[in-house]
Amino acid sequence: MYRAIRISVIFHYNELSWLDIKVYAKLQQYQVMEAGSGGEGLERFERDSPDLVLLDIVLPDMDGYELCRRIRSVSKVPVVFISCNTSSSDIIRGLELGGDDYIEKPFDPAVVVARIHASLRRVPIARNRPEPKPSGSVQTPDIIVVGELEIEPALLRIRTGGKEAALTVKEMQLLVHLAAHPNRVFPPDQLYKEVWGSDSIGDTRTVFVHISSIRKKIEPDPANPNYVLNIRGAGYLFKG
């Protein structure tokens, strides 16, 4: 039976700008579940099992970073930050804690909803429904094996040296995309468009932080990677 996509929106109730997001999201037939604090958001997350979390950083009881950390300890569901904190350190912190995307205020609600749609379209496993593959898409194998690295895309599972490591949904999508095109260099902006969605308008710092996190989880020596390489001035490649 079809179930409406559930979006958990966790924000400070005093911010009127979030009302526009709710209106646009409902027009897309998303079921919007809102919370006005970190504690309430965590309680609703555990109860409602949303397909995506839209998260503010400034909350009355705990900040969005801590809430994201708690969500990530139990779930791979996509988490999208929206914040007026726009420094590189703030963005990197949010992404390193497991955020899949980071949208800066002020924002266009229509663009936010488009990026939500792009994230959900590329994460069928989080929706518990099969996702049809578009014509001409790359068919990834059930298992990708390179050296001691084993990737199972459908299960969001990775092993290196026989040990399992947990990647977030977006980290897995990024790694699978690179591994499906071994030895091909991808500029960061191209990776953002192809992994986060062609209709996404984002910051390539997002790609950098996700690459860094992937390396920490799969590379024996992240400072001298064997699998995901940086080609200075050009982009990233997966060494096949």
Side-chain angles (χ1 to χ4, degrees), residues 32 34 47 54 63 77 84 92 99 104 116 142 151 160 190 194 198 211 215 232:
V32 178
E34 61 185 272
R47 184 181 72 214
L54 198 60
D63 62 35
V77 67
C84 59
I92 289 172
E104 300 176 14
I116 291 172
D142 293 334
I151 306 168
T160 179
Q190 182 180 350
E194 295 181 357
S198 60
I211 291 289
R215 285 173 172 164
R232 187 177 298 274

Short mmCIF file of all heavy atoms in Angstrom, two decimals, residues 32 34 47 54 63 77 84 92 99 104 116 142 151 160 190 194 198 211 215 232:
data_model
loop_
_atom_site.label_atom_id
_atom_site.label_comp_id
_atom_site.label_asym_id
_atom_site.label_seq_id
_atom_site.Cartn_x
_atom_site.Cartn_y
_atom_site.Cartn_z
N VAL A 32 3.81 16.35 6.42
CA VAL A 32 4.73 17.16 7.21
C VAL A 32 4.44 16.99 8.69
O VAL A 32 3.32 17.20 9.15
CB VAL A 32 4.62 18.65 6.81
CG1 VAL A 32 5.56 19.49 7.67
CG2 VAL A 32 4.94 18.83 5.33
N GLU A 34 5.84 18.38 12.31
CA GLU A 34 6.68 19.45 12.81
C GLU A 34 6.94 19.33 14.30
O GLU A 34 6.16 18.75 15.05
CB GLU A 34 6.05 20.81 12.49
CG GLU A 34 4.69 21.03 13.10
CD GLU A 34 4.09 22.34 12.64
OE1 GLU A 34 4.36 23.37 13.30
OE2 GLU A 34 3.37 22.34 11.63
N ARG A 47 8.93 8.12 17.05
CA ARG A 47 7.54 7.65 16.94
C ARG A 47 7.06 7.55 15.50
O ARG A 47 6.36 6.61 15.13
CB ARG A 47 6.63 8.60 17.72
CG ARG A 47 5.17 8.16 17.75
CD ARG A 47 4.33 9.16 18.52
NE ARG A 47 4.16 10.40 17.78
CZ ARG A 47 4.09 11.60 18.36
NH1 ARG A 47 4.24 11.73 19.66
NH2 ARG A 47 3.90 12.68 17.62
N LEU A 54 14.28 17.71 8.11
CA LEU A 54 14.70 19.07 7.78
C LEU A 54 14.94 19.76 9.12
O LEU A 54 14.01 19.89 9.93
CB LEU A 54 13.59 19.77 6.99
CG LEU A 54 13.95 21.01 6.19
CD1 LEU A 54 15.02 20.70 5.15
CD2 LEU A 54 12.71 21.56 5.51
N ASP A 63 20.96 22.09 20.38
CA ASP A 63 21.16 22.58 19.02
C ASP A 63 20.98 21.46 17.99
O ASP A 63 20.95 20.27 18.34
CB ASP A 63 22.53 23.27 18.85
CG ASP A 63 23.71 22.35 19.10
OD1 ASP A 63 23.62 21.15 18.76
OD2 ASP A 63 24.74 22.84 19.61
N VAL A 77 18.58 7.85 7.82
CA VAL A 77 17.62 8.71 7.12
C VAL A 77 18.29 10.03 6.73
O VAL A 77 19.11 10.57 7.49
CB VAL A 77 16.39 8.96 8.01
CG1 VAL A 77 16.74 9.80 9.22
CG2 VAL A 77 15.27 9.63 7.23
N CYS A 84 21.07 29.91 9.50
CA CYS A 84 21.68 31.22 9.22
C CYS A 84 23.17 31.18 9.54
O CYS A 84 23.89 32.14 9.25
CB CYS A 84 20.99 32.31 10.04
SG CYS A 84 21.06 32.05 11.82
N ILE A 92 30.81 22.65 7.74
CA ILE A 92 31.60 21.43 7.84
C ILE A 92 31.20 20.63 9.08
O ILE A 92 31.08 19.40 9.02
CB ILE A 92 33.10 21.77 7.87
CG1 ILE A 92 33.54 22.27 6.49
CG2 ILE A 92 33.93 20.56 8.29
CD1 ILE A 92 34.95 22.82 6.46
N GLY A 99 25.06 15.20 8.38
CA GLY A 99 24.09 15.88 7.54
C GLY A 99 24.33 15.56 6.07
O GLY A 99 25.47 15.44 5.64
N GLU A 104 21.62 27.39 3.31
CA GLU A 104 21.83 28.62 4.06
C GLU A 104 20.61 29.53 3.97
O GLU A 104 19.93 29.59 2.95
CB GLU A 104 23.06 29.35 3.50
CG GLU A 104 24.35 28.54 3.58
CD GLU A 104 25.53 29.24 2.94
OE1 GLU A 104 25.42 30.45 2.66
OE2 GLU A 104 26.56 28.58 2.71
N ILE A 116 14.73 18.80 -1.27
CA ILE A 116 14.16 17.67 -0.52
C ILE A 116 13.75 16.58 -1.49
O ILE A 116 14.05 15.39 -1.30
CB ILE A 116 12.93 18.13 0.29
CG1 ILE A 116 13.36 19.04 1.44
CG2 ILE A 116 12.16 16.93 0.84
CD1 ILE A 116 12.18 19.68 2.16
N ASP A 142 25.67 -5.95 -7.69
CA ASP A 142 25.26 -6.20 -6.32
C ASP A 142 26.42 -5.99 -5.35
O ASP A 142 26.23 -5.53 -4.23
CB ASP A 142 24.73 -7.63 -6.18
CG ASP A 142 23.42 -7.82 -6.93
OD1 ASP A 142 22.71 -6.81 -7.12
OD2 ASP A 142 23.12 -8.95 -7.33
N ILE A 151 31.72 -3.34 -1.49
CA ILE A 151 30.58 -2.42 -1.40
C ILE A 151 29.32 -3.15 -1.85
O ILE A 151 29.29 -3.72 -2.94
CB ILE A 151 30.79 -1.18 -2.28
CG1 ILE A 151 32.11 -0.49 -1.94
CG2 ILE A 151 29.64 -0.21 -2.15
CD1 ILE A 151 32.53 0.56 -2.95
N THR A 160 35.77 -3.39 4.75
CA THR A 160 37.16 -3.22 4.36
C THR A 160 38.02 -4.01 5.32
O THR A 160 37.89 -3.88 6.54
CB THR A 160 37.57 -1.72 4.35
OG1 THR A 160 38.94 -1.60 3.99
CG2 THR A 160 37.34 -1.06 5.69
N GLN A 190 30.20 18.75 -10.43
CA GLN A 190 29.53 17.70 -11.17
C GLN A 190 29.05 16.60 -10.23
O GLN A 190 27.93 16.08 -10.38
CB GLN A 190 30.46 17.09 -12.22
CG GLN A 190 29.79 16.01 -13.09
CD GLN A 190 30.72 15.42 -14.13
OE1 GLN A 190 31.82 15.93 -14.35
NE2 GLN A 190 30.30 14.35 -14.76
N GLU A 194 25.19 15.33 -9.72
CA GLU A 194 24.83 13.96 -10.07
C GLU A 194 24.45 13.12 -8.85
O GLU A 194 23.69 12.15 -9.00
CB GLU A 194 25.98 13.29 -10.83
CG GLU A 194 26.22 13.95 -12.18
CD GLU A 194 27.34 13.29 -12.97
OE1 GLU A 194 27.98 12.34 -12.45
OE2 GLU A 194 27.58 13.73 -14.11
N SER A 198 20.21 16.80 -9.99
CA SER A 198 20.51 17.77 -11.05
C SER A 198 19.85 19.11 -10.80
O SER A 198 20.29 20.13 -11.32
CB SER A 198 20.04 17.21 -12.41
OG SER A 198 18.65 16.95 -12.39
N ILE A 211 33.52 13.36 1.14
CA ILE A 211 34.70 12.59 0.71
C ILE A 211 35.61 12.33 1.90
O ILE A 211 36.12 11.22 2.11
CB ILE A 211 35.47 13.35 -0.39
CG1 ILE A 211 34.67 13.39 -1.70
CG2 ILE A 211 36.84 12.70 -0.63
CD1 ILE A 211 34.56 12.08 -2.43
N ARG A 215 36.60 8.60 3.45
CA ARG A 215 37.99 8.14 3.62
C ARG A 215 38.25 7.66 5.04
O ARG A 215 38.94 6.66 5.26
CB ARG A 215 38.95 9.28 3.25
CG ARG A 215 39.07 9.52 1.76
CD ARG A 215 39.90 10.76 1.51
NE ARG A 215 40.21 10.92 0.09
CZ ARG A 215 40.65 12.06 -0.44
NH1 ARG A 215 40.82 13.12 0.34
NH2 ARG A 215 40.92 12.14 -1.73
N ARG A 232 44.47 17.03 -7.95
CA ARG A 232 44.55 18.46 -7.65
C ARG A 232 44.10 19.30 -8.85
O ARG A 232 44.57 19.13 -9.96
CB ARG A 232 45.99 18.82 -7.26
CG ARG A 232 46.13 20.26 -6.77
CD ARG A 232 47.56 20.55 -6.33
NE ARG A 232 47.95 19.69 -5.21
CZ ARG A 232 47.71 19.98 -3.93
NH1 ARG A 232 47.03 21.10 -3.65
NH2 ARG A 232 48.11 19.19 -2.98
#
